[in-house]
Amino acid sequence: MSSSTDFVKRKSIDVYFKKYFGILLLILLTVIFWFIFKVISPHNFGTPGRLLSYFQSSLIYAVGGCGLYFIVAMGLWDFSIGANLVLSSILACYFSQHYGYLGLILAPIVSGTLIGLLNGIVYINFHIPSMIVTVGLSLIYESLSVFATQGQEQILGPNYRAFGTYPYNVILAICAFVFVSLVIKYTKMGTYMYAIGSNEYLAKNMGVDVNKFKVLSYILCGFLVGIMSILNISYGTSMTAASGMSSMSMNFTPLMGTFFGMSFRKYGTPVIAIIIGEFIISLIFNGFVAIGAPTTIQNVVTGIALLLIVTITTKPVRGIVVK
Amino acid sequence: MTDLQNSVEINGVKNKIQRYLEKPIARSILPVIGLIVVLAMFTMLTGGKIISPLNITLLLDEVYVLMIASIGVFFIMTMGCLDFSQGSILGIASIVFSYLSGFNILLAIIGAIIAGAIIGAINGFFHVKRKIPSFIVTICTMFLFRGLIAYLTTNSPVYAVSDILNYNTVTVKLISTVVILLIAFLIFHFTKLGIYLKAIGAGEIGSRFAGVDVDKIKWLMYIVAGMITGFAAFINVIEVGSVTASGGSMFETEILIALVLGGLPITGGVMARFSNIITGVLTYKVLSAGLNMIGLTTQTQQLIEGVIFLLVVALFSDRKSLHIIK
């Protein structure tokens, strides 16, 4: 009897350890990066006030990263979230002028969700790889953003910038994180998302309506990009239309957070991993700025960081077919 | 009842079209018909201006760099992989060429080719050795090297030696393009490598069991594609004389759209035809020039290109080889 109680106790300790191991690892990484840049640049980096500012900017990408998680967990891609972000942010500016906060909140959420729906519908009906569909569609969304603004920079009115400052930005972001966590943990979507990601054939044969859930994942991703747009335009206060695939660069920072979520999902904490992951990336960016690196080098850092994260998180299996 | 009959009829017609499109002959002819239709349409819309001798010369001037760089990507796409870093390769190779052009032109060309080969090798390493999907690797390197181009051109454009523009003659550009096309054509049709490329695209596991060193060929092709684009940088610089921060931007999308318009299936394989490069690049350039000439704005052109790109990919995608579409 006592040995079985011991076993149960040991097991629950194991479960707790496993649950918090991922978070501990991420916090350790954060401290390491903070320490490195703090040593190099002790005066311009890493004070508590600055850390809060890095955290607030990273929240924007973390919301987008959570949206992208629904797509990437299924093994799909969405390279149109940058174009979606530009278009939705522009619409948020425009509608806030006419309908105040209602326009600022509803316009990007509706447009983001509709773009997600369109991505899903085109992907399912055209039978072509999701990365190609979303690259093609982002060409279209970018041109729509230019049509909507006639090339003029859109500025958010000073009366509607609450979501760019503490605590409203944190509250909105936390609402998004709670929503994503609930969907992943307590809905069919969360379960089927992993089933489709690990073996689509099997999921289909088990009776999962794969197409329906794929479209749903694009809708959820679009919805979260809509929320990301509110945070983004409120923080940055202006947005210029994108052209010539320039929106592509905006896909990467959220994507990096998603990769953190994917690699730490075995510890059961994808959303927390995305949030801390984005914070680490924000630390690195700001660290480079603090040591005097030019802003153009940030793209190089992003590229290298993304490549390293993918390299570390994918396990190369000999003989596997990767195209 | 009528609705049911209608839907059965529509499905029947759809299936017939699908069956026709899957025939090899249709895949060879359709892109050529597409080119003729696009050319005829813009000849009508521009009142014949697009086929005036002056315009044809201008059009051909824009074709060379895209045509050369598309060859390498064609090889990669035949294997079913993708390369989205070609624009950045062109930018970096153009910068290397411009720096070295002060010493010696031949050295500059070799330097540009080596720069392209190095980026291609990096792409190949992560794709082949680390098994990361080619699109992800190349989009990362695209971003990385685009940042480097922006950094190197922060203060001012990188200028080549001033007399470099003397090389900007039709003879130099045309001969270079034709020679590279010819070499690539001979390799694709008359060597084992051409067969291997198609085999890898059609069935990677099968070709591995048939004794093809898939990893080696994939890596080699990324290096070759980088080298070819490195050479294209020579043509690029002799046309403009300098490289700015936007050097080579959106070039990768142009290559992808051009090859897809030429009828190359995204999945590669046996349906890949060498003619896809020529018809694709010409169709793309006629289409962009035509849209420009009829007075459409840049954003309308981008919108139309996006719609056409999606429709053509859907039309030519080889669904038999795609069991699961991710």
Side-chain angles (χ1 to χ4, degrees), chain B residues 259-272:
Chain B
L259 288 174
V260 164
L261 284 182
L264 181 68
I266 285 287
T267 43
V270 283
M271 298 295 189

Side-chain angles (χ1 to χ4, degrees), chain A residues 74-77 79 122-123 125-140 142-144 146-147 150 196-197 199-201 214 242-245 248-249 252 255 259 294 296-300 302-304 306-307 310-312 314-323, chain B residues 79-82 84 122 126-127 129-137 139-148 150-151 154 200-205 208 218 249-250 252-253 256-257 266-267 297-300 302-307 309-311 313-314 317 319 322-326:
Chain A
M74 278 195 185
L76 306 177
W77 297 102
F79 283 97
V122 176
Y123 161 69
N125 286 305
F126 276 30
H127 301 288
I128 40 180
S130 55
M131 55 176 82
I132 302 297
V133 170
T134 50
V135 166
L137 282 171
S138 63
L139 279 175
I140 297 171
E142 276 190 356
S143 54
L144 292 181
V146 182
F147 281 125
Q150 299 303 320
I196 294 169
N199 193 329
E200 193 175 318
Y201 260 135
K214 278 182 173 174
S243 63
M245 299 297 283
M248 188 61 90
S249 61
F252 291 100
L255 189 63
F259 283 136
T296 45
I297 213 79
Q298 279 195 19
N299 288 355
V300 181
T302 314
I304 294 172
L306 192 60
L307 208 50
V310 187
T311 309
I312 294 162
T314 45
K315 208 175 180 180
V317 179
R318 212 178 136 80
I320 195 175
V321 175
V322 180
K323 290 285 191 180
Chain B
M79 299 188 297
C81 302
L82 286 166
F84 228 66
I122 295 171
F126 283 101
H127 175 54
K129 290 288 167 193
R130 301 297 309 179
K131 304 284 177 201
I132 302 170
S134 54
F135 187 70
I136 304 302
V137 174
I139 218 158
C140 287
T141 47
M142 177 262 264
F143 200 54
L144 197 165
F145 289 107
R146 183 130 304 283
L148 199 59
Y151 175 64
T154 308
I200 295 169
E204 195 173 313
I205 295 178
R208 202 177 284 146
K218 274 189 175 178
S249 78
M250 224 198 151
E252 53 281 320
T253 324
L256 187 68
I257 297 177
I266 285 287
T267 43
T297 53
T298 324
Q299 68 266 29
T300 317
Q302 191 175 323
L303 181 73
I304 295 172
E305 278 171 19
V307 172
F309 170 69
L310 281 174
L311 290 176
V313 178
S317 74
R319 289 180 178 80
L322 278 174
H323 300 298
I324 290 180
I325 303 160
K326 285 286 192 183

Side-chain angles (χ1 to χ4, degrees), chain B residues 17 21 53 69 74 80 91 119 123 144-145 148 153-154 174 200 237-238 242 248 253 270 273 285 287 305:
Chain B
I17 295 172
L21 282 174
F74 168 78
I119 302 177
N123 286 336
L144 197 165
F145 289 107
L148 199 59
T153 54
T154 308
L174 193 65
I200 295 169
V237 178
I238 61 170
S242 64
T253 324
V270 283
R273 305 263 180 283
K285 282 296 177 191
L287 186 71
E305 278 171 19

Side-chain angles (χ1 to χ4, degrees), chain A:
Chain A
M1 188 66 190
S2 92
S3 73
S4 81
T5 330
D6 279 356
F7 175 73
V8 171
K9 221 183 235 172
R10 223 177 25 244
K11 202 174 174 192
S12 70
I13 290 167
D14 277 358
V15 168
Y16 269 106
F17 180 72
K18 204 177 173 190
K19 193 173 176 185
Y20 295 109
F21 178 73
I23 299 173
L24 286 174
L25 199 64
L26 282 166
I27 291 172
L28 186 70
L29 269 177
T30 314
V31 174
I32 291 172
F33 279 113
W34 173 82
F35 183 75
I36 293 170
F37 286 110
K38 189 75 188 163
V39 167
I40 302 173
S41 177
H43 303 297
N44 334 331
F45 178 82
T47 56
R50 284 204 168 111
L51 285 176
L52 182 67
S53 145
Y54 307 158
F55 179 68
Q56 288 184 57
S57 64
S58 73
L59 280 178
I60 304 171
Y61 302 111
V63 172
C66 283
L68 210 48
Y69 186 78
F70 290 110
I71 304 283
V72 177
M74 278 195 185
L76 306 177
W77 297 102
D78 188 347
F79 283 97
S80 71
I81 67 165
N84 187 348
L85 181 71
V86 172
L87 187 55
S88 299
S89 299
I90 282 168
L91 292 176
C93 274
Y94 178 80
F95 279 94
S96 69
Q97 287 164 14
H98 297 275
Y99 305 101
Y101 272 110
L102 192 70
L104 175 74
I105 295 170
L106 279 185
I109 290 183
V110 170
S111 91
T113 311
L114 284 177
I115 287 174
L117 175 69
L118 186 65
N119 282 348
I121 290 174
V122 176
Y123 161 69
I124 294 294
N125 286 305
F126 276 30
H127 301 288
I128 40 180
S130 55
M131 55 176 82
I132 302 297
V133 170
T134 50
V135 166
L137 282 171
S138 63
L139 279 175
I140 297 171
Y141 304 146
E142 276 190 356
S143 54
L144 292 181
S145 74
V146 182
F147 281 125
T149 59
Q150 299 303 320
Q152 301 290 314
E153 186 181 31
Q154 298 296 301
I155 298 165
L156 186 69
N159 300 332
Y160 307 115
R161 292 176 184 172
F163 289 113
T165 50
Y166 183 80
Y168 300 102
N169 54 354
V170 178
I171 294 170
L172 182 62
I174 287 176
C175 290
F177 298 142
V178 170
F179 168 76
V180 174
S181 306
L182 292 177
V183 172
I184 292 174
K185 198 160 186 187
Y186 297 110
T187 66
K188 273 185 189 172
M189 176 69 206
T191 316
Y192 292 166
M193 173 178 87
Y194 290 126
I196 294 169
S198 66
N199 193 329
E200 193 175 318
Y201 260 135
L202 197 65
K204 205 176 232 171
N205 289 336
M206 293 292 283
V208 177
D209 189 345
V210 172
N211 284 351
K212 185 177 118 186
F213 283 96
K214 278 182 173 174
V215 174
L216 199 58
S217 73
Y218 274 105
I219 292 175
L220 281 168
C221 177
F223 171 75
L224 283 149
V225 174
I227 298 176
M228 181 188 177
S229 307
I230 302 172
L231 293 166
N232 184 55
I233 193 69
S234 305
Y235 185 78
T237 69
S238 71
M239 179 58 81
T240 315
S243 63
M245 299 297 283
S246 60
S247 68
M248 188 61 90
S249 61
M250 295 179 191
N251 293 322
F252 291 100
T253 320
L255 189 63
M256 286 196 274
T258 310
F259 283 136
F260 270 99
M262 289 298 289
S263 52
F264 281 82
R265 73 173 177 186
K266 61 186 168 204
Y267 303 111
T269 52
V271 175
I272 295 174
I274 293 171
I275 298 167
I276 304 179
E278 290 293 0
F279 181 58
I280 293 174
I281 293 155
S282 181
L283 270 185
I284 298 174
F285 274 172
N286 286 291
F288 272 101
V289 172
I291 59 175
T295 46
T296 45
I297 213 79
Q298 279 195 19
N299 288 355
V300 181
V301 176
T302 314
I304 294 172
L306 192 60
L307 208 50
L308 284 178
I309 294 167
V310 187
T311 309
I312 294 162
T313 52
T314 45
K315 208 175 180 180
V317 179
R318 212 178 136 80
I320 195 175
V321 175
V322 180
K323 290 285 191 180

